[in-house]
Structure formats: C-alpha cells, structure tokens
C-alpha cells in the first residue's frame, strides 16, 4: 500500500480532514485558511474558552476576519475541541503551540512534547504531522519523529513528518497566512512531497522545499535573528546619536536612499512579540552542544534588552531639565502592544518600562485603544481611554507604540513634553518640547 499517494489523492480531492493543534496567533489563521480552501478542519486546544469561542464563530485573533470564521463554522468546515482522541479522525495535523523560554533563557519544548504525545496516542497509519512552532534545529527529529516511532510508526512509509515554520506578522496588511511563502522540510523526500502538496492546496504563496527539517528550523531562526541583530544595531546607533546630538531617524532615512546593500531597520523602546526577542536564544542554546558561543547574537540581545532602561534614564534626564523628579511625575504612556495597530502585547518592552517607572515612584497612566486589559507581574491591569485632560495634565507623554488611533494633533497642542520612541509624530506638528529616541 502506498500511503503517500493515497494521502496526496485525498488532499487533491479535498477529502482529507485537517487538524490544527493550538488555536492562537498561528493556529487559528492557519485553520481558517485550510477551511477556506475546502477542507474540513478540526482545531485542538487545551483552553476550553478558546474552543467555545471558535465553535460559536467568535473571533479573538486580529488577523482573522470575523465574518469568515463564523461562515466556516456555520458551514461545518471548522470545529474545535479539547478532545485529542479526535486526532484519529484527521489525515494531517499541524502543531502550532507555544515554544517559550524558561527562567534560564532555554527553550521550553513541553507544549510540543505534550501535543506530540497526544497525537501519537491517537494517530493512524498514513497521517501527515507537521510541526510549525518555532524551535531549535533538530526538534522535529528529536521530539516528533522519536515519539511517533515509539508508537510503532515508520517515518516516510506509514507516517509522514515535516517541519514548516510559521510566518505570521500580526498587523501586516500585505502579507497574511494565505499569501506568505512557505518553507517545508520533511524527514524523507516522501514526507516533503506530502507536506508540500498540502500547503500548495491551501496557500497562494510559493512553497519552497528544503532537504530536511533541520534546514527549515534553522531558516526560521535565521530570519528572526537577522531582524534581532539589525534592530540591535539601530538601537545602538540611536544611543550613540543621542550622545552626539544627531537625529538617528534622519540618518536612517538618508541611508535607505541607497538602492543596494542597505535595508532599513528602526530603533525603539525594546523588542516585543513572541518571535524576535525569543527565537535567537533557541540557537544559542543549541550551539552549546557544539561547543560554540554565539557572541554576536547574545550581544544583540543585551543591547535590545537594555533599551527599556535606556528609555527610563532618558526620561529622568528630560524631567531633570525641567527641574522635576521622576518620582511623583505624571507620565502618560501611549501604547502597550509591541507594534503598531495590533492587540498583541507579548514580550512588549512597554511592560519593563512601566515596571521601572513605577519602581521609581512615577504616577503612570497607560493608554492603548487595542489593548483594554493586560497582565504585568501576575496582575491584570486596565488601560485608560485617550483624552485631552490626561495629555494636558501629564508632566511627560511617552509614546511607546505608534498606533494610528492616537490623536497626534491633541498631543501636539496639549502635551507639555513628548518623548517619542517610535518617531510617531514624524508627519505631525511637534509640541515645543519634543524629544525623539
């Protein structure tokens, strides 16, 4: 029996049932795209609240269209469950669970391990299992292949295993799950062929096949490490330019007029999101097995992680220039999300900035039209609505996220001092006391 050809035929005819484990920022958009392509999709998640929302057609992810989700649920193309025994009903499954760092800055693969075990216990011959979670090179073989073969499956013969890294950029208006090119690396050529067939049947973007899961895993980390290091360079340039009295934003605008050999990256209050601040540490962890010290990557991490403290120190100096202490100063913080016009505040640099300010005795007000509530130091906190009175009363307005929803004209006319870490007011009239990062 040729399991690969049978599964490919089921994919081509849209008879295959697809599973997605983890219905977060990666999993839910992927599940929606697979259902839109005509497949019946079962989403798996350990959080009952998420499962209930999906089954009610209620969206909770910014990159998913509310009406599309409800329509797919109403048509029976997309359902969700916490019952992993239903893995037995699917022909292919993607693992899209978190891969955070532990307290020692080492990869925590426990979610991948738990998901793989549940899949292995309920799998059947002829299935495709694809890991999408970002992780270090070797994870697919070490965890997914090992666990499935422990349960009696033979990779490349009656079970197909591949790695295809998620490429999700929350808030990106041009590139979504549907049209972003996909990289796929199977453990065998047959594994790659089956996995690539599935993605080509769902996505509009190119599917690029590589020789192994390790290549695909390393490719993903390289993408995000590239951004991490270049952002660190921009942050270091910002620190130096401030000391020299040079506008770093003008420097970058001038540099990017060069049509070759330069790509613009911008400084900011620190790195945020699940990927860029975290992924490079997967590589530094794995490198230790080979007795190699990733000096450049770790130095970039140090620079980026120091930016919240740099921002708070700048604020102290700015207020000192006005004969004010940070302790007791009213600070209006504009933005909790880690980037513009999204509701995602995972690893947001605003949280350590807020923590540092409050430790110094500042009186803070936090505004974010996209984030109504956030957690910091284990406690839930509400954001406030943007209003003229808050801006006018603040001793300093700190712009940490350049949301389009903020009324920059009010900020221009009412704020005493603005410290803009995002160059958000580039195209607006500046208040009299306006400082950029």
């Amino acid at each position: 029996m040729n399991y690969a050809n049978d599964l490919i035929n089921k994919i081509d005819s849209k008879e295959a049932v697809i599973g997605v484990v983890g219905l977060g920022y990666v999993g839910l958009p992927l599940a929606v795209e697979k259902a839109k392509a005509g497949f019946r999709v079962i989403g798996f998640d350990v959080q009952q609240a998420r499962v209930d929302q999906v089954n009610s057609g209620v969206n909770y992810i910014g990159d998913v269209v509310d009406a599309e989700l409800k329509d797919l649920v109403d048509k029976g193309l997309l359902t969700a469950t916490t019952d992993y025994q239903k893995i037995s009903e699917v022909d292919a499954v993607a693992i899209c669970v978190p891969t955070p760092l532990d307290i020692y800055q080492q990869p925590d693969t426990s979610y991948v391990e738990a998901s793989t075990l549940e899949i292995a216990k309920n799998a059947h011959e002829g299935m495709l299992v694809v890991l999408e979670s970002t992780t270090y090179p070797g994870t697919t073989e070490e965890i997914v292949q090992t666990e499935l073969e422990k349960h009696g499956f033979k990779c490349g013969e009656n079970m197909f295993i591949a790695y295809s890294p998620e490429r999700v950029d929350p808030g990106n208006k041009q590139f979504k799950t549907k049209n972003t090119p996909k990289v796929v690396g199977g453990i065998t050529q047959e594994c790659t062929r089956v996995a690539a067939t599935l993605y080509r049947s769902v996505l509009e973007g190119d599917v690029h096949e590589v020789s192994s899961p390790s290549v695909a895993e390393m490719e993903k980390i390289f993408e995000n490490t590239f951004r991490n290091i270049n952002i660190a360079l921009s942050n270091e340039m910002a620190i130096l330019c401030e000391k020299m009295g040079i506008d770093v934003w003008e420097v970058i605008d001038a540099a990017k007029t060069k049509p070759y050999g330069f790509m613009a990256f911008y400084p900011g209050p620190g790195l945020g999101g699940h990927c860029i601040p975290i992924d490079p540490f997967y590589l530094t962890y794995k490198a230790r097995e080979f007795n190699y010290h990733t000096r450049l990557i770790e130095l970039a991490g140090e620079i980026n992680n120091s930016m919240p403290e740099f921002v708070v120190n700048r604020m102290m100096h700015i207020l000192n220039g006005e004969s004010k202490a940070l302790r007791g100063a009213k600070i209006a913080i504009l933005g909790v999300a880690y980037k513009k016009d999204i509701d995602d505040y995972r690893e947001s640099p605003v949280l350590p900035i807020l923590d540092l300010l409050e430790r110094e005795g500042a009186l803070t007000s936090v505004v974010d039209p996209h984030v109504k509530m956030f957690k910091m130091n284990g406690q839930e906190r509400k954001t406030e609505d943007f209003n003229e009175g808050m801006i006018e009363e603040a001793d300093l307005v700190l712009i940490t996220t350049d949301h389009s929803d903020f009324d920059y004209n009010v900020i221009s006319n009412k704020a005493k001092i603005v410290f803009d870490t995002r160059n958000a007011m580039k195209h607006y009239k500046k208040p009299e006391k306006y400082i950029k990062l």
Side-chain angles (χ1 to χ4, degrees):
M1 183 174 187
N2 191 315
Y3 286 104
N5 287 342
D6 287 351
L7 182 50
I8 285 172
N9 288 336
K10 290 184 79 172
I11 292 169
D12 288 341
S13 64
K14 302 293 173 69
E15 294 175 9
V17 179
I18 312 299
V20 176
V21 177
L23 296 175
Y25 285 90
V26 175
L28 186 60
L30 182 64
V32 166
E33 290 303 332
K34 289 180 175 180
K36 282 167 61 180
F39 292 100
R40 186 165 77 85
V41 178
I42 303 174
F44 297 85
D45 204 286
V46 295
Q47 297 184 43
Q48 186 66 52
R50 276 186 178 176
V51 167
D52 292 342
Q53 284 179 284
V54 171
N55 288 333
S56 300
V58 177
N59 178 38
Y60 50 87
I61 298 294
D63 285 348
V64 171
V65 178
D66 296 7
E68 287 183 350
L69 175 64
K70 189 167 191 324
D71 182 59
L72 293 169
V73 171
D74 289 346
K75 288 178 178 176
L77 287 170
L78 177 59
T79 58
T81 182
T82 58
D83 182 6
Y84 280 81
Q85 289 186 355
K86 290 184 179 292
I87 289 288
S88 62
E89 299 178 17
V90 308
D91 300 292
V93 60
I95 302 171
C96 306
V97 296
T99 47
L101 298 175
D102 64 19
I103 60 172
Y104 304 108
Q105 297 291 287
Q106 295 181 352
D108 176 2
T109 58
S110 60
Y111 298 98
V112 174
E113 293 166 16
S115 299
T116 302
L117 178 59
E118 291 297 332
I119 291 168
K121 288 192 299 187
N122 297 287
H124 58 79
E125 291 184 328
M127 274 182 64
L128 168 67
V129 179
V130 183
L131 178 61
E132 289 217 4
S133 306
T134 305
T135 186
Y136 58 83
T139 303
T140 304
E141 289 99 333
E142 293 169 13
I143 295 177
V144 182
Q145 181 182 8
T146 298
E147 190 60 53
L148 286 164
E149 291 193 339
K150 265 193 215 173
H151 283 72
F153 297 102
K154 184 64 177 173
C155 183
E157 295 181 11
N158 65 0
M159 176 64 64
F160 306 97
I161 303 169
Y163 182 77
S164 182
E166 56 89 358
R167 281 174 164 171
V168 174
D169 185 18
N172 192 316
K173 303 299 183 186
Q174 182 179 1
F175 291 105
K176 305 284 187 181
T177 300
K178 181 78 170 177
N179 64 340
T180 299
K182 205 84 166 76
V183 173
V184 178
I187 290 175
T188 69
Q189 287 186 344
E190 284 290 80
C191 293
T192 302
R193 183 167 74 98
V194 173
T197 299
L198 175 61
Y199 284 111
R200 288 190 176 108
S201 70
V202 172
L203 307 177
E204 293 175 353
D206 178 51
V207 175
H208 182 81
E209 299 177 22
V210 295
S211 60
S212 70
S214 291
V215 171
E217 289 160 340
M218 181 66 91
E219 175 279 322
K220 170 62 177 181
I221 293 179
F222 182 50
E223 285 179 31
N224 289 343
T225 301
F226 175 83
R227 291 178 65 186
N228 186 300
I229 289 172
N230 280 280
I231 292 169
L233 176 61
S234 296
N235 281 331
E236 192 162 58
M237 287 290 290
I239 293 169
L240 180 59
C241 283
E242 189 269 328
K243 292 180 181 297
M244 299 176 69
I246 298 171
D247 185 339
V248 68
W249 304 94
E250 187 178 357
V251 170
I252 295 170
D253 283 346
K256 72 180 185 182
T257 61
K258 185 178 180 181
Y260 54 89
F262 182 82
M263 182 181 294
F265 288 83
Y266 296 95
L271 287 183
H274 179 66
C275 292
I276 308 302
I278 292 175
D279 293 358
F281 287 102
Y282 299 147
L283 197 54
T284 60
Y285 165 81
K286 192 66 176 177
R288 295 186 200 118
E289 285 186 23
F290 300 89
N291 196 30
Y292 186 77
H293 185 57
T294 51
R295 292 165 293 172
L296 182 60
I297 296 172
E298 292 179 36
L299 179 58
E302 288 178 24
I303 293 169
N304 290 328
N305 290 339
S306 72
M307 290 307 292
E309 187 173 357
F310 174 74
V311 167
V312 173
N313 286 337
R314 285 283 309 275
M315 293 172 69
M316 287 181 180
H317 288 297
I318 292 166
L319 288 168
N320 281 345
E322 302 298 314
S323 299
K324 290 184 181 292
L326 184 57
R327 180 172 297 277
K330 292 182 179 179
I331 309 294
I333 301 173
L334 304 188
V336 175
Y338 77 86
K339 64 182 287 192
K340 179 179 182 177
D341 296 344
I342 66 169
D343 63 359
D344 190 352
Y345 67 91
R346 290 176 298 172
E347 306 297 326
S348 173
V350 181
L351 301 183
I353 288 172
L354 178 58
D355 188 48
L356 285 167
L357 287 173
E358 293 185 347
R359 287 175 185 271
E360 292 294 336
L363 307 176
T364 59
S365 301
V366 184
V367 180
D368 194 309
H370 299 274
V371 181
K372 298 301 181 186
M373 186 172 289
F374 63 97
K375 281 187 178 180
M376 192 179 87
N377 298 331
Q379 294 186 330
E380 286 193 344
R381 299 178 57 157
K382 291 182 178 180
T383 58
E384 301 181 35
D385 294 330
F386 183 98
N387 64 81
E388 289 189 22
M390 174 194 296
I391 300 300
E392 195 167 18
E393 290 174 12
D395 294 305
L396 185 148
V397 174
L398 176 66
I399 302 176
T400 44
T401 315
D402 49 337
H403 288 314
S404 302
D405 299 28
F406 291 139
D407 191 332
Y408 294 104
N409 290 316
V410 167
I411 297 169
S412 294
N413 294 323
K414 300 293 183 181
K416 297 183 183 78
I417 307 172
V418 174
F419 182 23
D420 186 354
T421 69
R422 298 287 190 178
N423 202 21
M425 298 187 68
K426 179 179 180 179
H427 301 295
Y428 293 87
K429 185 187 80 173
K430 312 298 187 296
E432 184 179 341
K433 292 176 181 174
Y434 175 77
I435 302 99
K436 286 190 286 187
L437 185 69

